Amino acid sequence: MDDETWPGLGVGDTVVSAEKIATRVAELGAEITSDYAGKAPLIITVLKGGFIFTADLVREIALPVEIEFMALSSYGNETRSSGSVQILKDVDVDIAGRDVIVVEDIVDTGLTLRYLLDLLGARQPASMEICSLFLREEAGTEAPDLRYVGFRLPPVFIIGYGLDVAGRYRNLPHVAAFDPSV
Ligand code: XMP
Ligand code: MG
């Protein structure tokens, strides 16, 4: 499936093709596999945007990982950060002493992640690193250090591969610019 399948639906130019995503996700998985050799990391996925990335990433990690989900809300249906973060769903397990890898779809201002790291850090994990598929190139000063980054992005709003506008487009296999004019 490519852009041609989505005429007139607000799907703009391709920013990252499905093939490039797959290649990069495999590289990230291999990196995590070697960095965490002998360990059983706890993957914490930030819903909803991170669900497709996580599904692909964990299948590229050759370690006994466990997977937990969190849901936060900061954007609502807007395409700009509102600056306020709410927990909609917490993890189901105690993360104390665990090697946590937080998996994010995209870090923009870094506000969402900052909030999450403060929250999870207080629960005393053995270690905590972040793996984000995308990092906005001009990420805000709030943006924490990211151990794993898939792609650096220009300031365009993107959709697809888990990323949405008002809940739609998450199922696009590639990542495209959102074109509100269409
Ligand atoms: P902050 O600014 O807190 O934002 O780092 C991170 C969260 O905002 C959402 N986000 C996007 N969602 N296309 C999307 O579909 C985008 O281009 C985009 N930029 C930010 C996303 O949920 C992320 O977790
Ligand atoms: Mg969103």
mmCIF file of all heavy atoms in Angstrom, residues 41-45 54-55 58-59 64-69 91-93 98:
data_model
loop_
_atom_site.group_PDB
_atom_site.id
_atom_site.type_symbol
_atom_site.label_atom_id
_atom_site.label_comp_id
_atom_site.label_asym_id
_atom_site.label_seq_id
_atom_site.Cartn_x
_atom_site.Cartn_y
_atom_site.Cartn_z
ATOM 1 N N PRO A 41 14.832 -6.651 29.673
ATOM 2 C CA PRO A 41 14.285 -5.297 29.824
ATOM 3 C C PRO A 41 12.753 -5.259 29.828
ATOM 4 O O PRO A 41 12.086 -6.125 29.254
ATOM 5 C CB PRO A 41 14.829 -4.536 28.606
ATOM 6 C CG PRO A 41 15.499 -5.514 27.728
ATOM 7 C CD PRO A 41 15.608 -6.826 28.441
ATOM 8 N N LEU A 42 12.257 -4.241 30.524
ATOM 9 C CA LEU A 42 10.820 -3.989 30.549
ATOM 10 C C LEU A 42 10.540 -2.834 29.596
ATOM 11 O O LEU A 42 10.977 -1.706 29.827
ATOM 12 C CB LEU A 42 10.379 -3.620 31.970
ATOM 13 C CG LEU A 42 8.895 -3.291 32.151
ATOM 14 C CD1 LEU A 42 8.025 -4.523 31.932
ATOM 15 C CD2 LEU A 42 8.648 -2.714 33.547
ATOM 16 N N ILE A 43 9.844 -3.156 28.524
ATOM 17 C CA ILE A 43 9.488 -2.140 27.540
ATOM 18 C C ILE A 43 8.210 -1.452 28.002
ATOM 19 O O ILE A 43 7.215 -2.126 28.289
ATOM 20 C CB ILE A 43 9.197 -2.798 26.166
ATOM 21 C CG1 ILE A 43 10.375 -3.670 25.707
ATOM 22 C CG2 ILE A 43 8.772 -1.771 25.120
ATOM 23 C CD1 ILE A 43 11.423 -2.995 24.922
ATOM 24 N N ILE A 44 8.237 -0.142 28.107
ATOM 25 C CA ILE A 44 7.009 0.598 28.424
ATOM 26 C C ILE A 44 6.641 1.450 27.222
ATOM 27 O O ILE A 44 7.346 2.393 26.864
ATOM 28 C CB ILE A 44 7.160 1.469 29.687
ATOM 29 C CG1 ILE A 44 7.483 0.578 30.893
ATOM 30 C CG2 ILE A 44 5.874 2.262 29.927
ATOM 31 C CD1 ILE A 44 7.608 1.339 32.218
ATOM 32 N N THR A 45 5.555 1.072 26.599
ATOM 33 C CA THR A 45 5.106 1.769 25.400
ATOM 34 C C THR A 45 4.129 2.861 25.750
ATOM 35 O O THR A 45 3.230 2.660 26.564
ATOM 36 C CB THR A 45 4.383 0.781 24.459
ATOM 37 O OG1 THR A 45 5.340 -0.151 24.014
ATOM 38 C CG2 THR A 45 3.773 1.483 23.271
ATOM 39 N N THR A 54 6.268 -0.281 18.536
ATOM 40 C CA THR A 54 6.616 -1.294 19.531
ATOM 41 C C THR A 54 6.424 -2.707 18.995
ATOM 42 O O THR A 54 7.281 -3.574 19.185
ATOM 43 C CB THR A 54 5.759 -1.124 20.806
ATOM 44 O OG1 THR A 54 6.013 0.166 21.338
ATOM 45 C CG2 THR A 54 6.111 -2.171 21.846
ATOM 46 N N ALA A 55 5.317 -2.914 18.308
ATOM 47 C CA ALA A 55 5.037 -4.260 17.780
ATOM 48 C C ALA A 55 6.161 -4.711 16.843
ATOM 49 O O ALA A 55 6.586 -5.875 16.886
ATOM 50 C CB ALA A 55 3.697 -4.264 17.041
ATOM 51 N N VAL A 58 9.857 -4.903 19.074
ATOM 52 C CA VAL A 58 10.093 -6.042 19.982
ATOM 53 C C VAL A 58 10.383 -7.327 19.208
ATOM 54 O O VAL A 58 11.079 -8.205 19.717
ATOM 55 C CB VAL A 58 8.929 -6.279 20.982
ATOM 56 C CG1 VAL A 58 8.835 -5.119 21.957
ATOM 57 C CG2 VAL A 58 7.601 -6.520 20.283
ATOM 58 N N ARG A 59 9.905 -7.401 17.977
ATOM 59 C CA ARG A 59 10.207 -8.589 17.175
ATOM 60 C C ARG A 59 11.603 -8.548 16.586
ATOM 61 O O ARG A 59 12.067 -9.507 15.973
ATOM 62 C CB ARG A 59 9.140 -8.776 16.088
ATOM 63 C CG ARG A 59 7.836 -9.314 16.691
ATOM 64 C CD ARG A 59 6.756 -9.468 15.667
ATOM 65 N NE ARG A 59 6.231 -8.167 15.273
ATOM 66 C CZ ARG A 59 5.283 -8.003 14.357
ATOM 67 N NH1 ARG A 59 4.781 -9.054 13.734
ATOM 68 N NH2 ARG A 59 4.847 -6.792 14.073
ATOM 69 N N PRO A 64 14.471 -11.734 26.355
ATOM 70 C CA PRO A 64 13.170 -11.994 26.984
ATOM 71 C C PRO A 64 12.552 -10.703 27.537
ATOM 72 O O PRO A 64 12.533 -10.475 28.740
ATOM 73 C CB PRO A 64 13.506 -12.971 28.104
ATOM 74 C CG PRO A 64 14.927 -12.695 28.449
ATOM 75 C CD PRO A 64 15.592 -12.202 27.195
ATOM 76 N N VAL A 65 12.049 -9.865 26.655
ATOM 77 C CA VAL A 65 11.457 -8.600 27.093
ATOM 78 C C VAL A 65 10.054 -8.820 27.661
ATOM 79 O O VAL A 65 9.394 -9.805 27.348
ATOM 80 C CB VAL A 65 11.351 -7.570 25.938
ATOM 81 C CG1 VAL A 65 12.726 -7.191 25.411
ATOM 82 C CG2 VAL A 65 10.459 -8.071 24.823
ATOM 83 N N GLU A 66 9.644 -7.883 28.510
ATOM 84 C CA GLU A 66 8.237 -7.805 28.908
ATOM 85 C C GLU A 66 7.727 -6.464 28.402
ATOM 86 O O GLU A 66 8.504 -5.528 28.252
ATOM 87 C CB GLU A 66 8.103 -7.889 30.430
ATOM 88 C CG GLU A 66 8.380 -9.281 30.981
ATOM 89 C CD GLU A 66 8.593 -9.252 32.492
ATOM 90 O OE1 GLU A 66 7.813 -8.586 33.187
ATOM 91 O OE2 GLU A 66 9.561 -9.873 32.960
ATOM 92 N N ILE A 67 6.433 -6.397 28.144
ATOM 93 C CA ILE A 67 5.872 -5.184 27.544
ATOM 94 C C ILE A 67 4.700 -4.668 28.369
ATOM 95 O O ILE A 67 3.781 -5.420 28.701
ATOM 96 C CB ILE A 67 5.418 -5.469 26.094
ATOM 97 C CG1 ILE A 67 6.591 -6.044 25.286
ATOM 98 C CG2 ILE A 67 4.910 -4.189 25.429
ATOM 99 C CD1 ILE A 67 6.178 -6.748 24.021
ATOM 100 N N GLU A 68 4.787 -3.389 28.709
ATOM 101 C CA GLU A 68 3.713 -2.718 29.449
ATOM 102 C C GLU A 68 3.260 -1.503 28.647
ATOM 103 O O GLU A 68 4.009 -0.984 27.822
ATOM 104 C CB GLU A 68 4.233 -2.257 30.820
ATOM 105 C CG GLU A 68 4.382 -3.379 31.825
ATOM 106 C CD GLU A 68 3.040 -3.903 32.322
ATOM 107 O OE1 GLU A 68 2.108 -3.088 32.503
ATOM 108 O OE2 GLU A 68 2.911 -5.121 32.520
ATOM 109 N N PHE A 69 2.052 -1.057 28.936
ATOM 110 C CA PHE A 69 1.508 0.082 28.198
ATOM 111 C C PHE A 69 1.101 1.205 29.138
ATOM 112 O O PHE A 69 0.554 0.965 30.208
ATOM 113 C CB PHE A 69 0.295 -0.355 27.378
ATOM 114 C CG PHE A 69 0.614 -1.390 26.352
ATOM 115 C CD1 PHE A 69 0.388 -2.735 26.603
ATOM 116 C CD2 PHE A 69 1.175 -1.026 25.126
ATOM 117 C CE1 PHE A 69 0.700 -3.712 25.658
ATOM 118 C CE2 PHE A 69 1.502 -1.990 24.176
ATOM 119 C CZ PHE A 69 1.261 -3.336 24.443
ATOM 120 N N VAL A 91 1.080 1.655 34.077
ATOM 121 C CA VAL A 91 1.562 0.276 33.907
ATOM 122 C C VAL A 91 0.930 -0.615 34.992
ATOM 123 O O VAL A 91 0.501 -0.117 36.022
ATOM 124 C CB VAL A 91 3.109 0.187 33.994
ATOM 125 C CG1 VAL A 91 3.751 0.932 32.845
ATOM 126 C CG2 VAL A 91 3.615 0.713 35.329
ATOM 127 N N ASP A 92 0.933 -1.928 34.725
ATOM 128 C CA ASP A 92 0.291 -2.864 35.656
ATOM 129 C C ASP A 92 1.286 -3.508 36.619
ATOM 130 O O ASP A 92 0.890 -4.319 37.457
ATOM 131 C CB ASP A 92 -0.411 -3.990 34.873
ATOM 132 C CG ASP A 92 -1.520 -3.456 33.979
ATOM 133 O OD1 ASP A 92 -2.159 -2.462 34.355
ATOM 134 O OD2 ASP A 92 -1.741 -4.044 32.898
ATOM 135 N N VAL A 93 2.581 -3.222 36.467
ATOM 136 C CA VAL A 93 3.578 -3.922 37.292
ATOM 137 C C VAL A 93 4.458 -2.928 38.052
ATOM 138 O O VAL A 93 4.510 -1.743 37.716
ATOM 139 C CB VAL A 93 4.495 -4.828 36.419
ATOM 140 C CG1 VAL A 93 3.673 -5.901 35.719
ATOM 141 C CG2 VAL A 93 5.292 -4.000 35.421
ATOM 142 N N ARG A 98 13.894 -2.759 37.724
ATOM 143 C CA ARG A 98 13.841 -3.240 36.335
ATOM 144 C C ARG A 98 14.665 -2.342 35.407
ATOM 145 O O ARG A 98 14.856 -1.164 35.675
ATOM 146 C CB ARG A 98 12.384 -3.255 35.828
ATOM 147 C CG ARG A 98 11.429 -4.123 36.629
ATOM 148 C CD ARG A 98 11.834 -5.586 36.649
ATOM 149 N NE ARG A 98 12.011 -6.150 35.331
ATOM 150 C CZ ARG A 98 11.043 -6.730 34.610
ATOM 151 N NH1 ARG A 98 9.823 -6.832 35.108
ATOM 152 N NH2 ARG A 98 11.309 -7.232 33.414
#
